[in-house]
Amino acid sequence: MSVLPTDSLSTPRFVGLPSFMRLPMATELQGLDAAIVGLPSDSGAPFRTGARFAPNALRAMSVMLRPINPYRGHINIFEVLRVADAGDATCVPGYEIESLAALERALDAVVEAGAVPFGIGGDHSVSLAGLRAVAKRHGPLSLVHFDSHTDTWDSYFDGKRYSAGTMFRRAIEEGIVDPARSIQVGMRGSLFQPADVSQSVDLGLEVITCDEMFALGLPETARRIAARSAGHPAFLSFDLDFVDPAYAPGVETPECGGPTARETLSLLRSLEGLDLVGCDVVELNPSYDGPGQITALLGATVMAELLAILAEARVRERSR
């Protein structure tokens, strides 16, 4: 199976069925380095629903992206990596636990084939399915988490333990995330209770709030992320509400006062040394995006930057 994307210099972007970055749809998973997987569940959403429609919205805007990343040595991602779009996992709308199990089964197939899963959420609870699948192969993971919220609450709504605000606590309790190797970046805004941020520290996570990120500067923040993960197998989870809603309005739980799109991409482009074994971009809510679909475009761009991180790592491995 060819895994090169359709050339947009030869065939207009609006021609054909949308896949991520115009990649071929996977007919098999064996032999792939990475697979794009839609995770269209929003059964864990505590506020705006609609993230179930995110995978195809992100794919639609990803046709704007090109294969060469000039920020990492002009690397051509798809000359280094064999990547295909594996379509969407199924879910059970309205049933959070059952949906997580269905998503996990789809991601298991990707991991068992030896490919790195690149998930498109979906509300943020879908990350638990990704962490479970990847940890079966790699053991406890270093979580690198970009968000305006910690998502380490114990429960929501009369003791419900599975939601888009609880999954990282569950992952630590299940032993699939190593908190001593994990870091959360970007927390900001008002709180339910004084411990909303410190609860992550109590679990053993390192936290860099949004204010601390700007005080440190983006290069130092990137260095701190690299030091925390320290070559350990890493799962990177990117919630689009990390970004200020002026630049990413179409999210489930917007939070004012965040970084711009440019600052966000600069931080991702500064990341070095991650052993990326899984990742996701979550919380895109197309119903609240503008007619220009700027949140979907940013989400697709973030995903392309994560592919470039993996491609750069593979180039370094092969040159040793």
Side-chain angles (χ1 to χ4, degrees):
M1 178 183 71
S2 171
V3 290
L4 293 176
T6 300
D7 184 356
S8 294
L9 288 175
S10 300
T11 305
R13 291 182 172 97
F14 50 81
V15 172
L17 298 174
S19 63
F20 184 77
M21 288 184 73
R22 311 192 77 186
L23 287 163
M25 298 302 295
T27 56
E28 58 181 331
L29 295 171
Q30 293 292 335
L32 294 179
D33 295 301
I36 310 298
V37 184
L39 305 173
S41 175
D42 57 14
S43 296
F47 186 44
R48 294 171 171 172
T49 56
R52 65 183 63 181
F53 302 114
N56 282 336
L58 192 146
R59 287 183 176 106
M61 290 306 292
S62 76
V63 302
M64 293 302 303
L65 302 174
R66 305 163 186 86
I68 294 174
N69 187 301
Y71 305 96
R72 294 188 181 272
H74 288 83
I75 193 167
N76 187 317
I77 296 169
F78 305 118
E79 289 181 355
V80 176
L81 300 176
R82 289 175 58 84
V83 188
D85 190 325
D88 291 348
T90 192
C91 61
V92 189
Y95 295 86
E96 172 69 351
I97 293 173
E98 292 84 352
S99 288
L100 289 174
L103 299 177
E104 184 181 345
R105 287 192 295 271
L107 292 165
D108 281 343
V110 173
V111 176
E112 289 167 5
V116 177
F118 281 68
I120 309 173
D123 74 53
H124 212 154
S125 69
V126 304
S127 296
L128 185 56
L131 289 163
R132 286 171 171 170
V134 174
K136 291 172 189 173
R137 184 180 185 94
H138 296 282
L141 301 165
S142 169
L143 173 66
V144 178
H145 173 209
F146 297 90
D147 203 325
S148 62
H149 313 101
T150 61
D151 296 340
T152 52
W153 288 279
D154 184 59
S155 64
Y156 261 73
F157 309 130
D158 195 28
K160 298 297 185 291
R161 290 169 55 80
Y162 292 92
S163 82
T166 65
M167 66 285 173
F168 292 134
R169 180 178 287 270
R170 298 289 89 82
I172 292 170
E173 291 171 349
E174 292 177 19
I176 56 178
V177 162
D178 180 356
R181 299 276 193 170
S182 299
I183 188 166
Q184 298 182 304
V185 182
M187 288 71 231
R188 64 181 185 274
S190 55
L191 308 174
F192 290 125
Q193 53 198 13
D196 282 357
V197 175
S198 63
Q199 65 193 13
S200 286
V201 177
D202 293 341
L203 288 168
L205 298 159
E206 181 176 355
V207 176
I208 300 177
T209 67
C210 189
D211 289 342
E212 290 167 341
M213 177 183 73
F214 284 119
L216 287 168
L218 300 180
E220 176 60 17
T221 299
R223 190 199 67 77
R224 292 267 292 270
I225 292 168
R228 186 71 171 183
S229 62
H232 199 70
F235 188 100
L236 191 153
S237 186
F238 190 96
D239 186 328
L240 282 161
D241 72 30
F242 172 82
V243 187
D244 191 274
Y247 304 89
V251 297
E252 180 197 318
T253 314
E255 201 73 63
C256 290
T260 66
R262 177 182 175 86
E263 289 162 341
T264 298
L265 294 173
S266 293
L267 177 57
L268 293 174
R269 290 163 180 163
S270 299
L271 293 178
E272 299 286 346
L274 284 185
D275 180 11
L276 192 66
V277 295
C279 62
D280 58 35
V281 177
V282 297
E283 297 279 330
L284 169 63
N285 192 326
S287 300
Y288 293 89
D289 212 358
Q293 300 169 280
I294 61 172
T295 315
L297 177 59
L298 179 58
T301 306
V302 168
M303 185 66 83
E305 292 297 331
L306 301 184
L307 282 167
I309 289 173
L310 181 62
E312 184 180 59
R314 293 295 168 86
V315 168
R316 287 178 176 172
E317 288 172 9
R318 295 166 188 170
S319 66
R320 288 174 186 166

